[in-house]
Amino acid sequence: MRVLVPASLLVSFAANDGEELATMSETMSGALARLPAPLRSLAGSRPEALTVSRRHVQVGVATMGVLVGAAALDGVRTAGRGRFYQDVQRLFGLHAYGHMAAALLTRGYVSGAATSPTVVLPVWWWARSRLRRAGVPDRSSLPRAVLVVGSWLVLAHALGACAAAHHIRTDVAGARTRADDRTSAGRLQ
């Protein structure tokens, strides 16, 4: 129980965020296009601006992985009693409902929706029941969890956006340099 229950958070994260790594950047624009018109209008005239690149997703998932890994270690260290572990476990479980709600709202697939009901929720329910049976008190706090995990999520997206922007600038600068090299080489001949 001491290792298995906290480790289940890592398994759940790997499945759900692995799905997001594989599908998010490719499916997000389609999901946004399927939103009901009143919600789509909240995005303004350019809903495609809300999409994220593959690099953004990679950095964001890695950043969230640091948080989830630290929470799982806290869970092992405290035998599941740590507030940090319990907060992250609770919010990660609850976030599955967001994926499923998004799929219902868009009437189609959204990234993370396949593993939410099949992995994230069952693992979360199992972990909570094991902790309860072991007499571990529920010390999680939804407001604290939202503050901690939500802040980390903002950081993950900010780092992802910076990495994506740097990648684009590097690609553009590299393309410009290669074009300049070809032009210069043409002048030398």
Side-chain angles (χ1 to χ4, degrees):
M1 205 278 313
R2 182 179 189 98
V3 174
L4 189 60
V5 172
S8 71
L9 175 60
L10 291 175
V11 170
S12 184
F13 173 81
N16 190 253
D17 282 50
E19 178 188 357
E20 289 178 351
L21 274 172
T23 64
M24 186 178 284
S25 58
E26 291 82 12
T27 61
M28 193 172 225
S29 61
L32 290 170
R34 292 189 315 270
L35 279 171
L39 289 176
R40 212 173 31 249
S41 68
L42 292 175
S45 61
R46 295 189 42 228
E48 69 278 357
L50 296 176
T51 62
V52 291
S53 70
R54 186 156 188 73
R55 175 65 51 105
H56 182 135
V57 175
Q58 290 167 338
V59 171
V61 166
T63 304
M64 291 307 294
V66 170
L67 178 76
V68 172
L73 285 174
D74 181 59
V76 170
R77 182 183 64 79
T78 63
R81 296 175 188 279
R83 287 185 174 125
F84 177 53
Y85 162 71
Q86 288 187 9
D87 284 351
V88 173
Q89 178 75 279
R90 181 179 187 184
L91 209 57
F92 194 75
L94 288 173
H95 106 282
Y97 292 111
H99 285 296
M100 295 183 321
L104 288 171
L105 195 60
T106 60
R107 299 170 310 281
Y109 176 77
V110 296
S111 187
T115 53
S116 287
T118 58
V119 178
V120 177
L121 286 176
V123 166
W124 177 46
W125 295 333
W126 174 82
R128 287 176 52 95
S129 72
R130 289 294 300 256
L131 291 172
R132 213 174 11 257
R133 272 190 263 143
V136 175
D138 184 354
R139 301 171 64 201
S140 67
S141 160
L142 190 56
R144 184 179 59 227
V146 168
L147 178 66
V148 170
V149 178
S151 298
W152 198 264
L153 182 62
V154 169
L155 174 67
H157 276 290
L159 291 175
C162 289
H166 176 74
H167 184 68
I168 290 169
R169 276 196 312 275
T170 303
D171 283 355
V172 169
R176 195 176 317 118
T177 302
R178 286 188 297 275
D180 292 345
D181 290 347
R182 282 192 300 272
T183 304
S184 297
R187 283 190 214 133
L188 295 175
Q189 292 175 351

